[in-house]
Amino acid sequence: MRIGIGLLVGLLGSIGGAAHADLHVVSEVDTGATGKIIVEQWLSSNRSYRGQGQIAYLADLQRKELLLVDHERRRVTRYELVDPKPLGAFQFEITLTGERGRVGPWAAEEFKVANLAQPGVEYRVWTTREIDAETQHYFNFVRRLPGGGALAASLQQLEGFPVRIVTLIRGPAGDQRVVSEVIKIDNDHPPRGIYEAPEGYVEK
């Protein structure tokens, strides 16, 4: 299967990377209808992990693939990462709103981010300059994604590190609001095998 980088970036959420150790981020995500879930993320220089409940997503830039791991069914689905440029996926308009406040322990400010290719979707991104963890390699990771150069340039217009992202989706069936907020971030060595598909799982 083939998958566009837009979905991968959404799966990554607000994460970054480090030169001396991988970045470890724990977030609380409130989807509204289904309630709150805890999402754990790891990122190295070329691989990422995102786990939520019985589902995990593993991205490998060298292999240019994304694995969907279903622990409940002990099943792995493999996708190919493809360049989204023919789709015109990334045309971001970023505006500093002037709103300021605190997200957890961090002082933060709000940006409005609109993807002009998706007029029904809007993001409110709160960033902070108070993160102690090393996060600069996040942009390097995004830049290395298929078609990720333009996206990385857009993301660097955000001043600081994203600690709260509010996604507003407007549609004929009604509006949906998803809030993702970082509750822990540090640099550490990941559990062994975190970026690999578990042994014994069936590949779909």
Side-chain angles (χ1 to χ4, degrees):
M1 290 184 174
R2 292 156 64 91
I3 187 169
I5 196 58
L7 176 57
L8 176 59
V9 172
L11 298 176
L12 292 178
S14 56
I15 60 179
H20 59 283
D22 296 354
L23 191 74
H24 180 220
V25 181
V26 179
S27 302
E28 182 179 76
V29 180
D30 188 350
T31 61
T34 57
K36 297 180 180 180
I37 60 174
I38 298 298
V39 176
E40 182 180 28
Q41 300 169 308
W42 288 91
L43 187 79
S44 72
S45 60
N46 58 15
R47 295 188 294 181
S48 70
Y49 163 91
R50 175 185 171 106
Q52 52 188 75
Q54 295 296 313
I55 298 296
Y57 301 91
L58 314 177
D60 189 316
L61 297 185
Q62 290 184 335
R63 298 174 182 171
K64 293 186 177 181
E65 67 179 13
L66 176 72
L67 302 184
L68 168 59
V69 180
D70 186 332
H71 292 294
E72 183 176 4
R73 295 178 174 83
R74 298 177 61 83
R75 185 172 65 191
V76 176
T77 305
R78 192 178 303 270
Y79 299 91
E80 177 189 359
L81 294 177
V82 297
D83 191 333
K85 285 188 292 186
L87 305 178
F90 302 116
Q91 301 176 43
F92 287 119
E93 182 178 80
I94 300 174
T95 307
L96 179 63
T97 68
E99 293 291 326
R100 290 176 170 81
R102 301 198 70 82
V103 177
W106 306 293
E109 58 185 355
E110 183 191 55
F111 290 83
K112 177 182 176 182
V113 181
N115 185 348
L116 302 182
Q118 294 179 300
V121 181
E122 178 182 298
Y123 305 91
R124 296 296 178 116
V125 181
W126 290 77
T127 68
T128 183
R129 299 180 180 89
E130 297 181 348
I131 294 294
D132 292 330
E134 173 58 53
T135 60
Q136 179 58 36
H137 282 203
Y138 169 57
F139 300 107
N140 295 335
F141 184 93
V142 174
R143 191 175 294 110
R144 292 182 59 199
L145 294 169
L151 177 59
S154 296
L155 289 174
Q156 286 185 307
Q157 297 179 46
L158 301 174
E159 300 174 7
F161 186 82
V163 289
R164 187 171 193 261
I165 300 176
V166 180
T167 305
L168 304 172
I169 305 172
R170 298 180 175 87
D175 296 346
Q176 181 182 4
R177 184 174 185 266
V178 179
V179 181
S180 175
E181 189 167 308
V182 173
I183 57 178
K184 177 184 178 182
I185 178 171
D186 58 16
N187 297 119
D188 204 350
H189 298 288
R192 186 174 182 178
I194 194 73
Y195 299 119
E196 303 291 341
E199 293 185 6
Y201 279 35
V202 176
E203 183 170 331
K204 182 181 177 182

